[in-house]
Amino acid sequence: MDLKPGDVVTLKSGGHPLTVVEVNGDSVLCLWMGGEGDLFRETLPLAVLELAETEDSEDETEDETDEDEDEAEDDEDEDEDEPKKKKRA
């Protein structure tokens, strides 16, 4: 896994998101905010870290939902444009 400063990672065991400050071989210097706003700094072995899932995937899901809603509205508009058939008695 190639990490660079600015990447967001988490411990493989879970926890807060950590920001990569520096990578030195198999050691990664990370910063993170604690629950009470305290700033923590720790050097961790690369083996215990994984890239955090980005929020972009949530944005894409929202975009897809918006597109689905737009298509549904377009379908409704098409129904309105079609002449209504008269029912025969």
Side-chain angles (χ1 to χ4, degrees):
M1 171 172 51
D2 292 327
L3 295 177
K4 62 186 178 312
D7 283 346
V8 178
V9 296
T10 57
L11 291 172
K12 288 181 178 178
S13 60
H16 293 285
L18 316 171
T19 303
V20 173
V21 176
E22 187 177 300
V23 180
N24 292 315
D26 289 336
S27 297
V28 183
L29 177 61
C30 297
L31 287 175
W32 71 96
M33 287 285 234
E36 296 180 14
D38 297 327
L39 185 62
F40 293 91
R41 179 182 187 111
E42 190 69 41
T43 300
L44 301 166
L46 181 62
V48 302
L49 300 173
E50 63 186 7
L51 277 173
E53 291 190 26
T54 61
E55 294 181 13
D56 290 343
S57 60
E58 291 177 13
D59 291 341
E60 288 173 11
T61 303
E62 289 175 11
D63 289 345
E64 290 171 6
T65 304
D66 290 344
E67 289 173 10
D68 292 343
E69 289 173 2
D70 290 343
E71 287 174 10
E73 288 174 8
D74 290 344
D75 290 344
E76 290 172 8
D77 291 343
E78 288 174 10
D79 292 343
E80 290 173 7
D81 292 340
E82 291 179 13
K84 295 187 180 183
K85 296 180 183 175
K86 293 182 181 178
K87 293 183 183 176
R88 295 185 183 179

